[in-house]
Amino acid sequence: MPSFERRDYSLSGGVADAVALDGERIERRVEERWWSPEIPRATLKKLTRRGDREAWWNFAPWLLLLGASGLIAALSWNSWWAVPAFFVYGTIYSSSDARWHECGHGTPFRTRWVNELFYHLCSFMTLREGYLWRWSHARHHTYTLMVGRDSEIDIQRPANLPGIIADFLYLRGGPSELARIVRHAFGVLDGDVRDFVPEGERAKMIWSSRVYVAIIAGVGVWSLAIESFLPMMFVATPRFYGGWLHHLLAMTQHAGLAENVADHRLNSRTVTINPVFRFLYLNMNYHVEHHVFPMVPFHALPKLHEEIGDRTPPAYDGLWAVYRELIPVLIRQARTDPDHYIRRALPETAAV
Amino acid sequence: MSGTWIEVCRTDEIDEKDVLGFECRGEKYAIYNTASGFYATAGVCTHEAADLSMGLVIDDIIECPMHQGRFHIPTGKAKSAPACVDLKTYAVKIEDGMVLIELPDGTFAESTA
Ligand code: FES
């Protein structure tokens, strides 16, 4: 297999074709460049309305399922039943990534402290240190898939196929994320992090990283003390052994789509999925809609889709429809043509 | 500080718990109708200059449409990241059913120069 020179996706690398920045390393009014559909103010207000009830309808059963599956998994330890039991527990646990994301936008709960509580809990569970990733994700929304500006381009070109496969067990992203948390706990920050986390926020990030390290190390010591890996099966490791579903769903967000375009219809995907996956993934399968109006909470995204669906490319009909198109593109990127990508066709009605 | 009072709109042109954008001499302002009264702040977010008139009013908070940073409307105080720098606020008064905001005189001197 030929190997192509990797593009420089770093933020501090001075990429030649990236968007121009001003003195504060931000292109002012960048938001005005993005495609945005017109939608009546009253409709938008209805869609963005906040309440705790809809969020609890999702988060309460999730917590119950997490607790129940964890209890069954613990009871089945030392038997073969532990394998399916921890598979289920790990899958539910890894739904914390979708919750980290949604709470980071501050949209699910109207009550701020509940939102923040879940934000930090889920940040820890999914191993995305909360202060760092709030800034990283803001950058992702400003410069979605703009090379050298977006800190969250997960599937870079040319596609790293073994890495993509390894991430079904979080074996590519996970160790580097853990290493970054440890580095930050010791106050060592790399150039990219300095680029998007303002100086005034770095102390919080460092202290939060120390708390993460202390908890994980504490559970590790407990495991050693009782000579059983069981405690470790409940903290941090579930994000690895149970990460498959999240990776399967999250790959559909942007992988294989256009880079450096100011139109979320061309660099993001909406895909229909079954209600169980939607419950675990908090409707992030409506990813075009999420990027176009990030202040719309997860439960209102299907309605937003109805509202603007005539101005966006058709939603993919199921995960298979996405992967049937995506897999050959990733293989082609890796083998022969690193610049190849999926060009989404815009509907005729797409003027506004 | 002395300033000039500018007419913005009729009071009934801003729904309760909502925000209206207003532009004067190239500057954007956001005018709010909250349960505790009418207020005015700078119209663009201090984080990355998103248009706050597209944002969401929740009680006395304006949430930025771009990254959901939050500001306290009456004081302009930045309440949650990524909004860290406070918004400028402007005095507001109601006269004959109209909303007026007081802009510093410098606004005009600068923009007409
Ligand atoms: S532009 Fe307002 S929070 Fe980022």
Side-chain angles (χ1 to χ4, degrees):
Chain A
M1 191 185 293
S3 74
F4 301 101
E5 198 182 316
R6 297 203 70 75
R7 282 182 167 199
D8 186 356
Y9 280 80
S10 70
L11 308 193
S12 45
V15 173
D17 61 351
V19 286
L21 302 178
D22 70 9
E24 293 169 53
R25 296 195 54 70
I26 289 297
E27 190 194 29
R28 301 311 270 184
R29 300 182 195 275
V30 71
E31 131 231 45
E32 289 173 7
R33 291 165 21 110
W34 286 99
W35 174 80
S36 180
E38 265 173 33
I39 175 168
R41 177 86 185 152
T43 309
L44 190 61
K45 270 176 68 179
K46 227 186 250 171
L47 291 169
T48 51
R49 193 179 297 147
R50 299 291 157 73
D52 289 340
R53 204 164 44 116
E54 294 90 340
W56 279 118
W57 269 112
N58 183 293
F59 279 67
W62 174 68
L63 282 176
L64 278 174
L65 285 170
L66 188 70
S69 60
L71 183 66
I72 292 169
L75 293 174
S76 65
W77 191 242
N78 287 331
S79 82
W80 280 106
W81 287 109
V83 176
F86 275 102
F87 177 78
V88 172
Y89 172 75
T91 304
I92 296 169
Y93 179 107
S94 296
S95 162
S96 55
D97 198 278
R99 286 151 215 283
W100 152 80
H101 171 265
E102 193 64 14
C103 294
H105 282 283
T107 45
F109 292 96
R110 184 185 167 92
T111 308
R112 192 64 184 169
W113 71 263
V114 179
N115 202 85
E116 284 302 288
L117 186 71
F118 273 110
Y119 177 69
H120 286 290
L121 171 71
C122 293
S123 297
F124 172 75
M125 289 172 73
T126 196
L127 300 176
R128 294 185 196 263
E129 189 283 309
Y131 293 97
L132 166 85
W133 278 89
R134 203 189 290 272
W135 288 96
S136 166
H137 200 62
R139 184 60 77 87
H140 171 61
H141 273 265
T142 309
Y143 295 118
T144 313
L145 254 67
M146 295 202 180
V147 177
R149 300 291 168 247
D150 181 353
S151 47
E152 297 181 10
I153 305 182
D154 192 34
I155 310 298
Q156 305 180 347
R157 291 193 226 152
N160 168 5
L161 298 180
I164 290 171
I165 293 165
D167 256 354
F168 280 96
L169 293 174
Y170 205 30
L171 292 175
R172 179 191 53 140
S176 59
E177 203 51 51
L178 273 173
R180 181 154 72 167
I181 290 169
V182 172
R183 280 201 308 278
H184 288 179
F186 285 99
V188 179
L189 316 186
D190 62 29
D192 277 9
V193 171
R194 285 177 197 281
D195 195 81
F196 62 78
V197 181
E199 236 169 293
E201 294 282 297
R202 291 179 193 158
K204 282 186 248 175
M205 179 183 79
I206 289 170
W207 275 103
S208 162
S209 301
R210 287 173 183 161
V211 172
Y212 283 31
V213 170
I215 295 173
I216 295 169
V219 175
V221 169
W222 177 19
S223 273
L224 281 175
I226 64 170
E227 293 178 12
S228 164
F229 199 71
L230 185 60
M232 282 306 291
M233 290 297 285
F234 289 95
V235 176
T237 60
R239 184 61 187 82
F240 291 81
Y241 66 74
W244 67 279
L245 180 62
H246 180 71
H247 187 51
L248 186 74
L249 295 170
M251 280 263 292
T252 67
Q253 294 179 356
H254 305 289
L257 293 171
E259 293 175 342
N260 301 337
V261 291
D263 192 331
H264 292 113
R265 297 169 301 174
L266 302 175
N267 66 19
S268 310
R269 264 190 205 86
T270 286
V271 49
T272 56
I273 54 175
N274 70 56
V276 175
F277 287 2
R278 273 179 49 192
F279 165 77
L280 289 171
Y281 193 41
L282 269 83
N283 283 342
M284 268 310 114
N285 51 304
Y286 294 101
H287 215 64
V288 174
E289 290 77 5
H290 167 66
H291 269 276
V292 171
F293 289 112
M295 60 180 182
V296 172
F298 72 98
H299 51 80
L301 287 174
K303 283 201 198 96
L304 175 59
H305 175 68
E306 280 171 27
E307 192 64 37
I308 65 169
D310 60 336
R311 286 163 281 177
T312 61
Y316 286 78
D317 187 14
L319 289 175
W320 177 236
V322 174
Y323 280 93
R324 196 173 47 201
E325 178 185 56
L326 179 59
I327 291 169
V329 168
L330 295 179
I331 292 173
R332 182 165 155 187
Q333 280 181 7
R335 289 202 171 148
T336 57
D337 185 1
D339 293 326
H340 180 62
Y341 65 92
I342 299 161
R343 289 163 171 80
R344 296 288 273 149
L346 298 176
E348 305 261 304
T349 54
V352 288
Chain B
M1 183 178 54
S2 72
T4 306
W5 287 94
I6 304 285
E7 251 180 28
V8 176
C9 62
R10 290 195 320 271
T11 50
D12 61 8
E13 281 178 74
I14 317 179
D15 288 347
E16 247 176 71
K17 299 182 200 155
D18 206 357
V19 51
L20 184 81
F22 169 67
E23 209 163 326
C24 179
R25 314 263 170 133
E27 284 299 316
K28 284 185 174 178
Y29 303 92
I31 321 296
Y32 309 87
N33 180 0
T34 74
S36 62
F38 286 84
Y39 297 95
T41 69
V44 293
C45 181
T46 54
H47 175 227
E48 287 181 8
D51 184 350
L52 289 176
S53 70
M54 297 302 293
L56 179 66
V57 175
I58 308 170
D59 302 329
D60 55 1
I61 293 289
I62 175 71
E63 185 182 277
C64 175
M66 184 95 165
H67 310 112
Q68 292 71 61
R70 289 174 169 217
F71 300 92
H72 182 236
I73 293 170
T75 59
K77 264 215 141 349
K79 298 291 275 186
S80 69
C84 296
V85 177
D86 298 347
L87 281 174
K88 260 193 201 151
T89 56
Y90 301 91
V92 172
K93 67 179 178 185
I94 308 295
E95 265 178 20
D96 301 329
M98 298 295 292
V99 181
L100 289 88
I101 67 169
E102 186 184 31
L103 301 181
D105 287 335
T107 314
F108 300 98
E110 250 169 56
S111 55
T112 50

